[in-house]
Amino acid sequence: MDSSSRGNRGQAARRADLQMLLATIIWGSSYLFMKSGLASIQELNLIALRFAIAFIVAAVIFHRRLLRADRKTWIAGAVMGTVLFAAFVLITYGVQRTSASQAGFLISLAVIFVPILMTIIHKKMPDVRLAASIVLAVSGLGLLTLQHELRLHIGDVLCILAALVYAIYIIIAGKYTPKHDPLTLGTIQLGMAAGLGIAAAVLFETPHLPDSAEAWAAILGLGILCSGIGYILQTLAQRHASPARTSLIFSLEPLFAAAFAFIFQGEQLTLQGYTGAALMLLAVLVAELKGLDAMYRRRKRSTSANEMHI
């Protein structure tokens, strides 16, 4: 591989990191939108509306890509959408049955479920530096979100299952996104999640539209920003990033959620919370240093080869 190809791969990886970071920032705002939306409608109703809005917007923008999609792309998008919907159902019901801080930590266990599952699938241990960054991220999440004694109730179990399902989603997305057009794939998964949400809301709830401007703003924020833009950004990013690295960057979501809560609701972190946030940032830095070290070694080998040639 020549230096130009390596440079292009490096640029693609950095762009993927930025796309995942932007998606994580957007998802950090979802807690405020969900709190407002659930004051007006039920859980499955909210899930159905957010994904339906996201799909309609994405389908209008990318309708030509959808018309050109082949059968394999539709199947891949349907699988991703089904797993994504399952994760959101577990998250929504789990959060209602445990404390918010406990739920935030437990759902973020996806950070360690991904490398554990990858280890089982590939029978290969994760890189030492990546493993260290995961430990830092999980420690930071614990300090940032856990304020009380950890006791497992039904809500805690649902949140742990949600983390496991979301880890499976990240791995599946990592498998399919390099093989298919990410924008088409992202649009199809939103449509699948919307269809399942509508069916579930009709079967188990009494669906209705939001009854206030504030609730509509929340639903539109969840649909367009958090579901539409957020998950399409993820599918774009995962063409050039491993599932483990994806889950690590997404572990910053509680940090951004705390920042939005501070800006818009005046909530402040404790010293413990700020310590946790610092550990999470350090985790991302440690993972990034791996890439910088690899780049340095490649450049050093290239320089040595040139000197020998001279």
Side-chain angles (χ1 to χ4, degrees), residues 23 27 50-51 84 88 166 169 186 189-190 225-236:
W27 288 335
R50 70 178 290 179
F51 282 113
L84 184 64
F88 266 87
Y166 196 73
Y169 167 79
Q189 76 165 353
L190 293 174
L225 288 175
C226 302
S227 297
I229 296 177
Y231 282 101
I232 286 178
L233 278 173
Q234 180 186 357
T235 55
L236 283 170

Side-chain angles (χ1 to χ4, degrees), residues 139-147 254-255 258 268-281:
S139 300
L141 281 167
L143 290 172
L144 181 66
T145 59
L146 285 178
Q147 302 296 328
L255 175 61
Q268 296 187 25
L269 295 176
T270 62
L271 177 60
Q272 174 181 320
Y274 284 115
T275 303
L279 283 176
M280 294 168 68
L281 291 174

Side-chain angles (χ1 to χ4, degrees), residues 284-298:
V284 174
L285 178 61
V286 168
E288 186 64 26
L289 284 175
K290 175 188 174 185
L292 294 176
D293 284 349
M295 186 184 301
Y296 171 77
R297 288 193 296 270
R298 288 195 300 266

Side-chain angles (χ1 to χ4, degrees), residues 189-207:
Q189 76 165 353
L190 293 174
M192 186 66 182
L196 292 172
I198 292 170
V202 170
L203 287 172
F204 302 109
E205 296 179 352
T206 304

Side-chain angles (χ1 to χ4, degrees), residues 142-204:
L143 290 172
L144 181 66
T145 59
L146 285 178
Q147 302 296 328
H148 305 288
E149 183 181 355
L150 180 62
R151 293 180 179 175
L152 287 179
H153 302 291
I154 183 61
D156 301 322
V157 174
L158 289 173
C159 288
I160 293 173
L161 289 175
L164 179 60
V165 173
Y166 196 73
I168 293 172
Y169 167 79
I170 291 174
I171 293 173
I172 291 174
K175 174 183 177 181
Y176 285 135
T177 50
K179 301 177 182 178
H180 305 277
D181 174 53
L183 296 176
T184 306
L185 201 61
T187 303
I188 293 172
Q189 76 165 353
L190 293 174
M192 186 66 182
L196 292 172
I198 292 170
V202 170
L203 287 172
F204 302 109

Side-chain angles (χ1 to χ4, degrees), residues 46-298:
L46 183 143
I47 293 172
L49 278 175
R50 70 178 290 179
F51 282 113
I53 291 171
F55 172 70
I56 291 170
V57 172
V60 169
I61 297 174
F62 305 120
H63 64 279
R64 292 182 180 178
R65 293 174 182 265
L66 282 177
L67 294 175
R68 295 196 300 265
D70 57 20
R71 180 172 173 271
K72 291 183 178 180
T73 301
W74 279 96
I75 292 174
V79 171
M80 289 173 58
T82 300
V83 180
L84 184 64
F85 170 75
F88 266 87
V89 171
L90 290 167
I91 288 171
T92 304
Y93 283 99
V95 167
Q96 285 196 333
R97 289 163 176 80
T98 188
S99 67
S101 59
Q102 197 121 316
F105 175 74
L106 294 172
I107 292 170
S108 295
L109 287 174
V111 175
I112 59 173
F113 280 146
V114 168
I116 290 173
L117 291 174
M118 293 298 289
T119 298
I120 295 172
I121 293 171
H122 299 292
K123 298 180 181 179
K124 181 180 178 181
M125 294 301 294
D127 176 83
V128 173
R129 187 165 292 178
L130 180 58
S133 64
I134 291 172
V135 171
L136 285 171
V138 172
S139 300
L141 281 167
L143 290 172
L144 181 66
T145 59
L146 285 178
Q147 302 296 328
H148 305 288
E149 183 181 355
L150 180 62
R151 293 180 179 175
L152 287 179
H153 302 291
I154 183 61
D156 301 322
V157 174
L158 289 173
C159 288
I160 293 173
L161 289 175
L164 179 60
V165 173
Y166 196 73
I168 293 172
Y169 167 79
I170 291 174
I171 293 173
I172 291 174
K175 174 183 177 181
Y176 285 135
T177 50
K179 301 177 182 178
H180 305 277
D181 174 53
L183 296 176
T184 306
L185 201 61
T187 303
I188 293 172
Q189 76 165 353
L190 293 174
M192 186 66 182
L196 292 172
I198 292 170
V202 170
L203 287 172
F204 302 109
E205 296 179 352
T206 304
H208 64 88
L209 296 175
D211 55 11
S212 68
E214 182 180 0
W216 267 114
I219 298 301
L220 290 173
L222 285 170
I224 297 173
L225 288 175
C226 302
S227 297
I229 296 177
Y231 282 101
I232 286 178
L233 278 173
Q234 180 186 357
T235 55
L236 283 170
Q238 283 205 251
R239 289 170 65 90
H240 305 286
S242 68
R245 189 173 182 82
T246 298
S247 66
L248 179 64
I249 294 179
F250 287 166
S251 73
L252 292 172
E253 182 182 336
L255 175 61
F256 293 118
F260 279 112
F262 172 75
I263 294 171
F264 295 103
Q265 296 184 335
E267 295 182 7
Q268 296 187 25
L269 295 176
T270 62
L271 177 60
Q272 174 181 320
Y274 284 115
T275 303
L279 283 176
M280 294 168 68
L281 291 174
L282 180 60
V284 174
L285 178 61
V286 168
E288 186 64 26
L289 284 175
K290 175 188 174 185
L292 294 176
D293 284 349
M295 186 184 301
Y296 171 77
R297 288 193 296 270
R298 288 195 300 266

